mmCIF file of all heavy atoms in Angstrom:
data_model
loop_
_atom_site.group_PDB
_atom_site.id
_atom_site.type_symbol
_atom_site.label_atom_id
_atom_site.label_comp_id
_atom_site.label_asym_id
_atom_site.label_seq_id
_atom_site.Cartn_x
_atom_site.Cartn_y
_atom_site.Cartn_z
ATOM 1 N N ASP A 1340 -13.113 22.458 -1.309
ATOM 2 C CA ASP A 1340 -13.730 23.171 -0.183
ATOM 3 C C ASP A 1340 -15.170 23.479 -0.573
ATOM 4 O O ASP A 1340 -15.453 23.694 -1.756
ATOM 5 C CB ASP A 1340 -12.970 24.475 0.117
ATOM 6 C CG ASP A 1340 -13.281 25.035 1.501
ATOM 7 O OD1 ASP A 1340 -14.401 25.577 1.681
ATOM 8 O OD2 ASP A 1340 -12.425 24.923 2.404
ATOM 9 N N VAL A 1341 -16.076 23.511 0.411
ATOM 10 C CA VAL A 1341 -17.478 23.847 0.093
ATOM 11 C C VAL A 1341 -17.608 25.303 -0.370
ATOM 12 O O VAL A 1341 -18.548 25.632 -1.078
ATOM 13 C CB VAL A 1341 -18.460 23.700 1.279
ATOM 14 C CG1 VAL A 1341 -19.044 22.339 1.346
ATOM 15 C CG2 VAL A 1341 -17.857 24.162 2.578
ATOM 16 N N ALA A 1342 -16.690 26.148 0.066
ATOM 17 C CA ALA A 1342 -16.802 27.578 -0.251
ATOM 18 C C ALA A 1342 -15.966 27.913 -1.488
ATOM 19 O O ALA A 1342 -14.728 27.846 -1.426
ATOM 20 C CB ALA A 1342 -16.331 28.406 0.944
ATOM 21 N N PRO A 1343 -16.610 28.300 -2.601
ATOM 22 C CA PRO A 1343 -15.843 28.630 -3.810
ATOM 23 C C PRO A 1343 -14.834 29.751 -3.574
ATOM 24 O O PRO A 1343 -13.730 29.723 -4.129
ATOM 25 C CB PRO A 1343 -16.929 29.075 -4.814
ATOM 26 C CG PRO A 1343 -18.201 28.469 -4.308
ATOM 27 C CD PRO A 1343 -18.069 28.367 -2.829
ATOM 28 N N ALA A 1344 -15.184 30.719 -2.705
ATOM 29 C CA ALA A 1344 -14.254 31.832 -2.439
ATOM 30 C C ALA A 1344 -12.965 31.307 -1.807
ATOM 31 O O ALA A 1344 -11.874 31.834 -2.066
ATOM 32 C CB ALA A 1344 -14.920 32.855 -1.525
ATOM 33 N N VAL A 1345 -13.082 30.264 -0.974
ATOM 34 C CA VAL A 1345 -11.886 29.691 -0.339
ATOM 35 C C VAL A 1345 -10.987 29.074 -1.416
ATOM 36 O O VAL A 1345 -9.768 29.249 -1.410
ATOM 37 C CB VAL A 1345 -12.270 28.642 0.734
ATOM 38 C CG1 VAL A 1345 -11.052 27.874 1.225
ATOM 39 C CG2 VAL A 1345 -12.969 29.309 1.911
ATOM 40 N N LEU A 1346 -11.604 28.381 -2.370
ATOM 41 C CA LEU A 1346 -10.812 27.744 -3.437
ATOM 42 C C LEU A 1346 -10.061 28.790 -4.262
ATOM 43 O O LEU A 1346 -8.894 28.602 -4.603
ATOM 44 C CB LEU A 1346 -11.704 26.899 -4.335
ATOM 45 C CG LEU A 1346 -12.215 25.606 -3.700
ATOM 46 C CD1 LEU A 1346 -13.093 24.845 -4.668
ATOM 47 C CD2 LEU A 1346 -11.046 24.726 -3.250
ATOM 48 N N GLU A 1347 -10.750 29.879 -4.553
ATOM 49 C CA GLU A 1347 -10.081 30.967 -5.297
ATOM 50 C C GLU A 1347 -8.890 31.485 -4.509
ATOM 51 O O GLU A 1347 -7.815 31.721 -5.041
ATOM 52 C CB GLU A 1347 -11.055 32.142 -5.498
ATOM 53 C CG GLU A 1347 -11.806 32.081 -6.812
ATOM 54 C CD GLU A 1347 -12.824 33.201 -6.900
ATOM 55 O OE1 GLU A 1347 -12.484 34.347 -6.535
ATOM 56 O OE2 GLU A 1347 -13.958 32.915 -7.311
ATOM 57 N N ASP A 1348 -9.123 31.637 -3.200
ATOM 58 C CA ASP A 1348 -8.068 32.140 -2.336
ATOM 59 C C ASP A 1348 -6.893 31.151 -2.262
ATOM 60 O O ASP A 1348 -5.727 31.564 -2.239
ATOM 61 C CB ASP A 1348 -8.669 32.399 -0.943
ATOM 62 C CG ASP A 1348 -7.731 33.197 -0.082
ATOM 63 O OD1 ASP A 1348 -7.231 34.216 -0.579
ATOM 64 O OD2 ASP A 1348 -7.468 32.787 1.062
ATOM 65 N N VAL A 1349 -7.204 29.856 -2.235
ATOM 66 C CA VAL A 1349 -6.153 28.826 -2.164
ATOM 67 C C VAL A 1349 -5.255 28.925 -3.401
ATOM 68 O O VAL A 1349 -4.023 28.904 -3.311
ATOM 69 C CB VAL A 1349 -6.763 27.403 -2.062
ATOM 70 C CG1 VAL A 1349 -5.691 26.339 -2.228
ATOM 71 C CG2 VAL A 1349 -7.480 27.215 -0.735
ATOM 72 N N GLN A 1350 -5.909 29.064 -4.564
ATOM 73 C CA GLN A 1350 -5.169 29.143 -5.828
ATOM 74 C C GLN A 1350 -4.210 30.342 -5.811
ATOM 75 O O GLN A 1350 -3.038 30.220 -6.127
ATOM 76 C CB GLN A 1350 -6.196 29.295 -6.964
ATOM 77 C CG GLN A 1350 -5.634 29.158 -8.345
ATOM 78 C CD GLN A 1350 -5.454 27.683 -8.701
ATOM 79 O OE1 GLN A 1350 -4.476 27.073 -8.255
ATOM 80 N NE2 GLN A 1350 -6.367 27.128 -9.450
ATOM 81 N N LYS A 1351 -4.763 31.476 -5.385
ATOM 82 C CA LYS A 1351 -3.986 32.723 -5.364
ATOM 83 C C LYS A 1351 -2.840 32.611 -4.339
ATOM 84 O O LYS A 1351 -1.701 32.958 -4.619
ATOM 85 C CB LYS A 1351 -4.938 33.860 -4.970
ATOM 86 C CG LYS A 1351 -4.416 35.236 -5.193
ATOM 87 C CD LYS A 1351 -5.558 36.262 -5.125
ATOM 88 C CE LYS A 1351 -5.023 37.580 -4.657
ATOM 89 N NZ LYS A 1351 -5.264 37.907 -3.263
ATOM 90 N N TRP A 1352 -3.174 32.072 -3.177
ATOM 91 C CA TRP A 1352 -2.190 31.931 -2.106
ATOM 92 C C TRP A 1352 -1.036 31.033 -2.558
ATOM 93 O O TRP A 1352 0.144 31.347 -2.336
ATOM 94 C CB TRP A 1352 -2.882 31.360 -0.865
ATOM 95 C CG TRP A 1352 -1.946 30.787 0.151
ATOM 96 C CD1 TRP A 1352 -1.280 31.469 1.118
ATOM 97 C CD2 TRP A 1352 -1.539 29.416 0.260
ATOM 98 N NE1 TRP A 1352 -0.489 30.604 1.834
ATOM 99 C CE2 TRP A 1352 -0.631 29.343 1.332
ATOM 100 C CE3 TRP A 1352 -1.859 28.253 -0.430
ATOM 101 C CZ2 TRP A 1352 -0.031 28.146 1.719
ATOM 102 C CZ3 TRP A 1352 -1.264 27.060 -0.049
ATOM 103 C CH2 TRP A 1352 -0.366 27.016 1.014
ATOM 104 N N ALA A 1353 -1.367 29.907 -3.223
ATOM 105 C CA ALA A 1353 -0.329 28.959 -3.651
ATOM 106 C C ALA A 1353 0.586 29.629 -4.682
ATOM 107 O O ALA A 1353 1.820 29.496 -4.607
ATOM 108 C CB ALA A 1353 -0.960 27.700 -4.233
ATOM 109 N N GLN A 1354 -0.013 30.362 -5.611
ATOM 110 C CA GLN A 1354 0.801 31.042 -6.630
ATOM 111 C C GLN A 1354 1.747 32.051 -5.980
ATOM 112 O O GLN A 1354 2.933 32.102 -6.296
ATOM 113 C CB GLN A 1354 -0.104 31.771 -7.622
ATOM 114 C CG GLN A 1354 -0.549 30.848 -8.757
ATOM 115 C CD GLN A 1354 -1.743 31.400 -9.520
ATOM 116 O OE1 GLN A 1354 -2.163 32.524 -9.296
ATOM 117 N NE2 GLN A 1354 -2.284 30.584 -10.408
ATOM 118 N N GLU A 1355 1.202 32.821 -5.033
ATOM 119 C CA GLU A 1355 2.026 33.847 -4.375
ATOM 120 C C GLU A 1355 3.146 33.198 -3.551
ATOM 121 O O GLU A 1355 4.278 33.649 -3.553
ATOM 122 C CB GLU A 1355 1.154 34.728 -3.474
ATOM 123 C CG GLU A 1355 0.370 35.745 -4.290
ATOM 124 C CD GLU A 1355 -0.658 36.515 -3.456
ATOM 125 O OE1 GLU A 1355 -0.675 36.366 -2.210
ATOM 126 O OE2 GLU A 1355 -1.447 37.240 -4.072
ATOM 127 N N TYR A 1356 2.784 32.127 -2.847
ATOM 128 C CA TYR A 1356 3.776 31.445 -2.008
ATOM 129 C C TYR A 1356 4.928 30.929 -2.878
ATOM 130 O O TYR A 1356 6.100 31.146 -2.578
ATOM 131 C CB TYR A 1356 3.127 30.284 -1.233
ATOM 132 C CG TYR A 1356 4.134 29.474 -0.463
ATOM 133 C CD1 TYR A 1356 4.608 29.919 0.767
ATOM 134 C CD2 TYR A 1356 4.653 28.292 -1.001
ATOM 135 C CE1 TYR A 1356 5.574 29.202 1.457
ATOM 136 C CE2 TYR A 1356 5.623 27.575 -0.319
ATOM 137 C CZ TYR A 1356 6.075 28.019 0.912
ATOM 138 O OH TYR A 1356 7.044 27.306 1.578
ATOM 139 N N LEU A 1357 4.574 30.260 -3.981
ATOM 140 C CA LEU A 1357 5.604 29.655 -4.831
ATOM 141 C C LEU A 1357 6.447 30.738 -5.524
ATOM 142 O O LEU A 1357 7.667 30.595 -5.642
ATOM 143 C CB LEU A 1357 4.950 28.712 -5.858
ATOM 144 C CG LEU A 1357 4.303 27.455 -5.241
ATOM 145 C CD1 LEU A 1357 3.494 26.699 -6.274
ATOM 146 C CD2 LEU A 1357 5.343 26.541 -4.599
ATOM 147 N N ALA A 1358 5.776 31.805 -5.934
ATOM 148 C CA ALA A 1358 6.523 32.912 -6.561
ATOM 149 C C ALA A 1358 7.534 33.481 -5.557
ATOM 150 O O ALA A 1358 8.684 33.791 -5.915
ATOM 151 C CB ALA A 1358 5.561 34.000 -7.030
ATOM 152 N N GLY A 1359 7.135 33.571 -4.308
ATOM 153 C CA GLY A 1359 8.016 34.072 -3.249
ATOM 154 C C GLY A 1359 9.224 33.165 -3.063
ATOM 155 O O GLY A 1359 10.337 33.641 -2.792
ATOM 156 N N ARG A 1360 9.032 31.857 -3.221
ATOM 157 C CA ARG A 1360 10.155 30.915 -3.077
ATOM 158 C C ARG A 1360 11.184 31.139 -4.182
ATOM 159 O O ARG A 1360 12.380 31.020 -3.957
ATOM 160 C CB ARG A 1360 9.674 29.449 -3.129
ATOM 161 C CG ARG A 1360 8.647 29.058 -2.098
ATOM 162 C CD ARG A 1360 9.030 29.403 -0.712
ATOM 163 N NE ARG A 1360 9.928 28.469 -0.073
ATOM 164 C CZ ARG A 1360 10.544 28.681 1.084
ATOM 165 N NH1 ARG A 1360 10.359 29.821 1.715
ATOM 166 N NH2 ARG A 1360 11.344 27.780 1.596
ATOM 167 N N VAL A 1361 10.684 31.473 -5.385
ATOM 168 C CA VAL A 1361 11.598 31.735 -6.507
ATOM 169 C C VAL A 1361 12.360 33.032 -6.232
ATOM 170 O O VAL A 1361 13.590 33.079 -6.357
ATOM 171 C CB VAL A 1361 10.828 31.815 -7.853
ATOM 172 C CG1 VAL A 1361 11.775 32.175 -8.996
ATOM 173 C CG2 VAL A 1361 10.134 30.486 -8.148
ATOM 174 N N THR A 1362 11.607 34.076 -5.814
ATOM 175 C CA THR A 1362 12.247 35.363 -5.533
ATOM 176 C C THR A 1362 13.339 35.209 -4.482
ATOM 177 O O THR A 1362 14.406 35.813 -4.580
ATOM 178 C CB THR A 1362 11.183 36.371 -5.020
ATOM 179 O OG1 THR A 1362 10.081 36.333 -5.911
ATOM 180 C CG2 THR A 1362 11.729 37.779 -4.948
ATOM 181 N N LYS A 1363 13.069 34.377 -3.469
ATOM 182 C CA LYS A 1363 14.059 34.211 -2.389
ATOM 183 C C LYS A 1363 15.179 33.240 -2.761
ATOM 184 O O LYS A 1363 16.053 32.947 -1.942
ATOM 185 C CB LYS A 1363 13.357 33.690 -1.132
ATOM 186 C CG LYS A 1363 12.534 34.772 -0.439
ATOM 187 C CD LYS A 1363 11.927 34.241 0.851
ATOM 188 C CE LYS A 1363 11.000 35.283 1.432
ATOM 189 N NZ LYS A 1363 9.935 34.718 2.251
ATOM 190 N N GLY A 1364 15.078 32.652 -3.962
ATOM 191 C CA GLY A 1364 16.117 31.729 -4.407
ATOM 192 C C GLY A 1364 16.012 30.348 -3.791
ATOM 193 O O GLY A 1364 16.948 29.549 -3.856
ATOM 194 N N ARG A 1365 14.874 30.045 -3.179
ATOM 195 C CA ARG A 1365 14.724 28.714 -2.541
ATOM 196 C C ARG A 1365 14.240 27.653 -3.530
ATOM 197 O O ARG A 1365 14.366 26.463 -3.297
ATOM 198 C CB ARG A 1365 13.706 28.791 -1.402
ATOM 199 C CG ARG A 1365 14.049 29.798 -0.347
ATOM 200 C CD ARG A 1365 14.898 29.142 0.744
ATOM 201 N NE ARG A 1365 15.512 30.135 1.602
ATOM 202 C CZ ARG A 1365 14.906 30.688 2.647
ATOM 203 N NH1 ARG A 1365 13.687 30.346 2.956
ATOM 204 N NH2 ARG A 1365 15.537 31.578 3.376
ATOM 205 N N MET A 1366 13.629 28.085 -4.646
ATOM 206 C CA MET A 1366 13.168 27.150 -5.678
ATOM 207 C C MET A 1366 13.454 27.772 -7.034
ATOM 208 O O MET A 1366 13.501 29.002 -7.163
ATOM 209 C CB MET A 1366 11.648 26.932 -5.585
ATOM 210 C CG MET A 1366 11.188 26.067 -4.457
ATOM 211 S SD MET A 1366 9.376 25.930 -4.485
ATOM 212 C CE MET A 1366 9.112 25.129 -2.918
ATOM 213 N N THR A 1367 13.613 26.895 -8.035
ATOM 214 C CA THR A 1367 13.772 27.420 -9.391
ATOM 215 C C THR A 1367 12.389 27.521 -10.030
ATOM 216 O O THR A 1367 11.426 26.883 -9.570
ATOM 217 C CB THR A 1367 14.632 26.473 -10.251
ATOM 218 O OG1 THR A 1367 13.904 25.236 -10.385
ATOM 219 C CG2 THR A 1367 15.990 26.226 -9.622
#
Side-chain angles (χ1 to χ4, degrees):
D1340 197 286
V1341 270
V1345 170
L1346 288 180
E1347 267 176 44
D1348 193 48
V1349 170
Q1350 190 80 281
K1351 193 165 151 258
W1352 163 84
Q1354 273 163 7
E1355 282 172 7
Y1356 174 80
L1357 293 171
R1360 302 308 279 170
V1361 176
T1362 311
K1363 286 184 186 153
R1365 303 270 166 84
M1366 285 179 190
T1367 65

